[in-house]
Amino acid sequence: MFKKLFSKKESVEQLLAPINGQVIKIEEVPDPVFSGKMMGDGIAILPEEGLVVSPIDAEVIQVFHTKHALGLRTKNGIELLIHIGLETVNLKGEGFEVHVAEGQRVKAGDKLVTFDIDFLKSNAPSIVTPIVVTNGELVEKLEKTNNTQATINDTEIMSVYLK
């Protein structure tokens, strides 16, 4: 008889850029809820256009009625929040169009939300868009990109290593 050796394989979720734009450290987001990581750790992108796609294969678990944010859950249980702009909840959905519904399965690169970037620039304090892991208790390690520019569905923005 022989004995099979099994090793614990490290599970990792790799997130691609959901937005074209400039990468910003979460600590530099001009909102203490995000910069203080109260919602979770992650990064932010200053959008160059009004398109948000899924950064990973996932299920849409929440679409805010004000259309400014949504939540995703990966097959391994990692939950992500994509929050378009700061204080954009006050716009009450104006300037946003959501292309998915709660419970829907999406693939990396699928269109989630489009928004009027000029309207947001004129009516919100900032268009910076945080992408955060909201259930950090499942995370062993979070590696963030060193890139300063993100390209939709191309630039790897974060690797999330699961416990």
Side-chain angles (χ1 to χ4, degrees):
M1 266 182 98
F2 65 92
K3 189 177 180 182
K4 286 186 178 181
L5 298 175
F6 294 95
S7 62
K8 182 182 173 194
K9 186 179 178 195
E10 190 170 40
S11 292
V12 61
E13 298 272 15
Q14 296 176 323
L15 281 65
L16 299 175
I19 301 168
N20 287 324
Q22 179 186 350
V23 177
I24 297 172
K25 292 179 181 177
I26 197 76
E27 297 85 359
E28 295 174 4
V29 172
D31 183 316
V33 171
F34 290 107
S35 62
K37 301 180 185 177
M38 292 177 215
M39 297 293 295
D41 199 0
I43 69 160
I45 298 175
L46 186 61
E48 293 173 350
E49 63 183 331
L51 172 64
V52 179
V53 303
S54 183
I56 195 165
D57 295 354
E59 177 186 358
V60 178
I61 57 170
Q62 185 172 20
V63 176
F64 288 72
H65 73 279
T66 50
K67 305 176 188 177
H68 74 289
L70 52 82
L72 302 173
R73 182 184 303 122
T74 69
K75 68 181 185 306
N76 287 328
I78 295 299
E79 294 182 358
L80 304 169
L81 171 69
I82 301 174
H83 192 284
I84 305 163
L86 301 179
E87 298 180 34
T88 46
V89 67
N90 299 329
L91 300 176
K92 299 181 175 130
E94 190 176 351
F96 296 95
E97 184 177 351
V98 176
H99 301 278
V100 293
E102 288 181 16
Q104 183 176 337
R105 302 276 325 157
V106 294
K107 299 269 188 204
D110 286 353
K111 186 185 329 183
L112 300 176
V113 178
T114 51
F115 59 94
D116 182 335
I117 194 167
D118 294 325
F119 177 80
L120 264 61
K121 284 179 179 179
S122 297
N123 293 283
S126 175
I127 61 168
V128 69
T129 300
I131 301 107
V132 298
V133 176
T134 58
N135 59 345
E137 69 276 4
L138 299 181
V139 177
E140 180 72 32
K141 177 174 66 171
L142 188 67
E143 288 181 356
K144 303 173 193 179
T145 185
N146 290 323
N147 292 327
T148 57
Q149 281 295 120
T151 302
I152 282 181
N153 207 32
D154 182 47
T155 307
E156 189 177 303
I157 58 166
M158 283 189 285
S159 294
V160 182
Y161 293 85
L162 302 157
K163 288 184 179 176

